[in-house]
Amino acid sequence: MKRKPDKLLTLLLEIAQNMKECGATFSKYEFRSLTDLKVFAEKIKDFEKKGDTLVHETIVELNHAFITQIEHEDILLLAEKMDDIVDELEEVVVYFYMYGLTEADEYMEEFRKYIGSCTEELYHAIDLLVSKQFKNIKEHTVNVKSYEEICDTTERKAIRKLFKKYSDPIKIIQYKDIYEMLESSVDACQLVAKSLDTIVMKNI
């Protein structure tokens, strides 16, 4: 008889899928006007709402589950940390809209590219976790760490150039805020990767 899918692991993969799709939209959506930004913000908000619903469903399911393939605490930790990534991306887009930044500079585009890559890597890692292919997860978490290191350098370069490029203090503050939020989004991806590494160590 075919084994019934684990509801919690199915939910975990759905959260990962939502995170990946949010990252892909965030990294690829083109905007040239405030109208574009408004639509962009609404799209990311939809992912944020869906993520919150899935995390809530996971918590409810955890409260009714006695035995799980992965520890309760680890499932909840991964679910919440993946949802944090979506929350971070929503905040970035909200600030883009509030500041009226209708064009991303080269540094923002680099951040966006790597955020899309990070969420893609994390989705594959969660898929491997769900199918208990623990030994193959490390490749993806190492990639996320590499992207995070690249983005650390990008943030430093961007802020250094910012003070040379603009004299308007308001512009400097706005761009610095965006760079720091983008870096925080990549850091959120790295936190999921670290959590996965810890779970792998417990299960191999």
Side-chain angles (χ1 to χ4, degrees), residues 59 99 111 181:
I59 292 170
Y99 289 162
F111 271 117
M181 283 187 285

Side-chain angles (χ1 to χ4, degrees), residues 102-198:
T102 55
E103 187 174 353
D105 65 18
E106 61 183 296
Y107 301 111
M108 295 175 193
E109 290 295 358
E110 186 165 353
F111 271 117
R112 292 213 300 160
K113 178 183 74 173
Y114 283 113
I115 286 166
S117 297
C118 282
T119 54
E120 180 81 23
E121 294 285 352
L122 291 173
Y123 171 78
H124 290 305
I126 295 293
D127 191 29
L128 290 167
L129 181 74
V130 167
S131 59
K132 294 188 175 181
Q133 298 181 57
F134 299 113
K135 291 182 179 179
N136 296 326
I137 291 173
K138 188 69 176 176
E139 173 189 349
H140 299 285
T141 59
V142 166
N143 287 341
V144 172
K145 176 60 178 172
S146 297
Y147 300 149
E148 188 267 337
E149 289 173 352
I150 292 169
C151 289
D152 276 345
T153 302
T154 299
E155 182 191 22
R156 288 193 292 270
K157 287 193 298 185
I159 292 175
R160 187 167 60 246
K161 188 172 181 180
L162 184 59
F163 289 97
K164 296 178 181 178
K165 187 175 181 180
Y166 297 106
S167 57
D168 180 358
I170 294 176
K171 199 73 164 176
I172 291 172
I173 290 168
Q174 289 177 337
Y175 273 70
K176 188 171 182 289
D177 281 349
I178 296 293
Y179 295 145
E180 289 175 348
M181 283 187 285
L182 286 164
E183 175 60 23
S184 181
S185 300
V186 180
D187 287 343
C189 294
Q190 172 64 0
L191 287 175
V192 175
K194 286 181 177 178
S195 298
L196 280 162
D197 286 338
T198 300

Side-chain angles (χ1 to χ4, degrees), residues 41-77:
E42 289 169 352
K43 286 179 179 291
I44 300 300
K45 183 64 178 177
D46 286 342
F47 289 116
E48 190 268 338
K49 288 179 180 177
K50 184 176 180 180
D52 285 347
T53 299
L54 289 168
V55 170
H56 175 71
E57 289 178 21
T58 302
I59 292 170
V60 170
E61 191 68 25
L62 278 168
N63 287 334
H64 291 91
F66 292 102
I67 300 173
T68 55
Q69 295 184 43
I70 300 168
E71 289 182 17
H72 282 61
E73 294 82 1
D74 291 332
I75 292 172
L76 182 59
L77 182 69

